[in-house]
């Protein structure tokens, strides 16, 4: 496991906050996809002083890991974000960018080597900073109105099997559950549960509402991102809280 650290290269980004933080302030691990056409363009952006964005670790298309900001400095990867009572998660998180063109440029499966190395890196960080499984999140979980990454192709279930992050234990009983819309009362309950679970539920209109439902589905029901609260989606969330 130590091997991965030795193989890591360094390409520091100027985009971080100058004050060092304490080890104990690190509480979250946040996964992203780059959403850029190539590694070259993504690395250029993340290390360009004008972009004002960065991450702690970058995993390129070949699975190689680049450190861009040391762990005890705050990288600028999450933007306006929240989870539970925590706001603006940059200050208490480590951000990992995984190279993938994303929804805008031809979203594709993450490669085996990318995921293999992501698991190794995550295990080191989880241990070092005592990060709880429930605090391992995607960018779209903490900024559902703005972000789709790392998206429905990100293997959350596989990671859960490797002791990284969480998964639900609700089993689909019948495929009709994918399409069975629930009552207004249960829909309200769904959003109450969603908030209890951690998501910021502050939608202004139906478009926002759909985005939040989709964020939840990207994370826990990746096979069907409908933006509709069907009975299956409802029960998955219920099993999580
Ligand atoms: Zn992101």
């Amino acid at each position: 496991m130590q091997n991965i650290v030795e193989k890591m290269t360094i390409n520091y980004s100027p985009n971080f906050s100058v004050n060092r933080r304490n080890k104990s302030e690190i509480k979250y691990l946040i996964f992203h996809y780059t959403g850029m056409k190539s590694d070259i363009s993504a690395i250029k952006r993340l290390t360009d002083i004008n972009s004002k964005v960065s991450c702690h670790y970058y995993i390129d298309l070949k699975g190689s890991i680049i450190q861009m900001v040391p762990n005890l400095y705050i990288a600028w990867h999450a933007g306006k974000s929240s989870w539970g009572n925590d706001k603006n998660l940059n200050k208490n998180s480590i951000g990992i960018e995984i190279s993938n063109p994303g929804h805008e440029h031809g979203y594709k499966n993450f490669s085996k080597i990318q995921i293999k190395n992501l698991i190794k890196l995550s295990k080191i960080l989880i241990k070092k900073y005592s990060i709880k499984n429930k605090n391992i999140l995607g960018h779209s979980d903490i900024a559902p109105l703005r972000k789709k990454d790392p998206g429905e192709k990100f293997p959350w279930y596989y990671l859960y099997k490797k002791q990284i992050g969480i998964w639900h234990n609700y089993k689909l009983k019948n495929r009709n559950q994918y399409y069975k819309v629930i009552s207004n009362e249960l829909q309200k309950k769904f959003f109450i549960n969603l908030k209890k679970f951690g998501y910021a539920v502050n939608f202004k209109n139906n478009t926002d509402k759909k985005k939040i439902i989709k964020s939840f589905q990207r994370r826990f029901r990746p096979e069907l991102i409908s933006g509709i609260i069907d009975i299956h989606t409802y029960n998955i969330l219920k099993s999580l809280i």
Side-chain angles (χ1 to χ4, degrees):
M1 206 179 275
Q2 219 43 39
N3 209 6
I4 195 99
V5 179
E6 283 160 21
K7 277 200 224 152
M8 208 171 331
T9 55
I10 289 175
N11 184 352
Y12 283 140
S13 170
N15 305 323
F16 62 93
S17 307
V18 286
N19 290 329
R20 255 168 79 112
R21 57 184 170 183
N22 293 321
K23 196 178 167 187
S24 62
E25 287 174 84
I26 298 170
K27 182 173 167 190
Y28 293 96
L29 192 56
I30 309 293
F31 298 139
H32 302 257
Y33 68 45
T34 51
M36 302 283 285
K37 281 176 187 160
S38 67
D39 278 323
I40 292 173
S41 52
I43 292 168
K44 202 176 159 204
R45 179 156 190 265
L46 290 162
T47 55
D48 174 1
I49 196 161
N50 296 310
S51 76
K52 296 194 163 45
V53 291
S54 62
C55 59
H56 292 94
Y57 298 94
Y58 182 98
I59 301 182
D60 72 14
L61 286 172
K62 289 183 178 144
S64 302
I65 302 175
I66 303 167
Q67 176 143 45
M68 293 192 164
V69 174
N71 297 342
L72 294 181
Y73 288 89
I74 296 169
W76 303 340
H77 58 96
K80 197 173 183 294
S81 52
S82 81
W83 188 256
N85 293 323
D86 290 321
K87 300 241 168 344
N88 299 318
L89 302 198
N90 280 341
K91 63 180 180 302
N92 43 22
S93 66
I94 285 182
I96 302 178
E97 286 277 358
I98 307 141
S99 186
N100 190 305
H103 292 87
E104 277 181 40
H105 302 288
Y107 189 34
K108 60 181 183 186
N109 285 328
F110 295 90
S111 70
K112 270 195 184 138
I113 185 76
Q114 280 181 316
I115 298 304
K116 191 176 158 208
N117 289 345
L118 173 68
I119 289 170
K120 286 185 188 170
L121 174 62
S122 298
K123 290 211 165 181
I124 293 169
L125 296 170
I126 289 165
K127 196 169 171 210
K128 192 165 183 183
Y129 300 107
S130 309
I131 295 169
K132 292 188 178 122
N133 273 324
K134 69 177 175 64
N135 289 342
I136 299 172
L137 303 166
H139 200 185
S140 62
D141 293 321
I142 61 169
L145 297 182
R146 298 188 299 116
K147 296 291 173 182
K148 292 180 185 165
D149 66 308
E152 61 276 14
K153 291 185 194 290
F154 188 77
W156 285 109
Y157 179 65
Y158 182 71
L159 261 63
Y160 162 74
K161 291 274 180 194
K162 303 279 177 188
Q163 279 89 46
I164 296 167
I166 60 166
W167 193 254
H168 64 86
N169 59 18
Y170 182 75
K171 297 254 179 304
L172 181 73
K173 293 185 180 78
N174 182 323
R175 289 184 63 85
N176 290 337
Q177 292 194 323
Y178 280 149
Y179 307 102
K180 197 161 180 249
V181 180
I182 56 174
S183 68
N184 285 341
E185 203 179 316
L186 283 183
Q187 294 201 27
K188 268 185 210 151
K189 189 85 206 302
F190 176 82
F191 286 109
I192 291 168
N193 288 344
L194 209 53
K195 193 169 178 219
K196 210 183 274 176
F197 186 56
Y199 286 86
V201 181
N202 46 4
F203 49 81
K204 290 192 191 77
N205 50 45
N206 274 332
T207 313
D208 285 358
K209 212 176 189 177
K210 264 199 143 156
K211 280 182 187 167
I212 296 173
I213 300 165
K214 281 186 179 181
S215 276
F216 178 76
Q217 290 174 333
R218 285 204 163 89
R219 175 70 192 278
F220 292 107
R221 212 273 296 271
E223 71 274 21
L224 181 62
I225 318 297
S226 60
I228 293 165
I229 314 167
D230 49 68
I231 193 72
H232 185 226
T233 305
Y234 180 87
N235 283 329
I236 288 171
L237 175 58
K238 206 176 142 199
S239 81
L240 285 164
I241 54 171

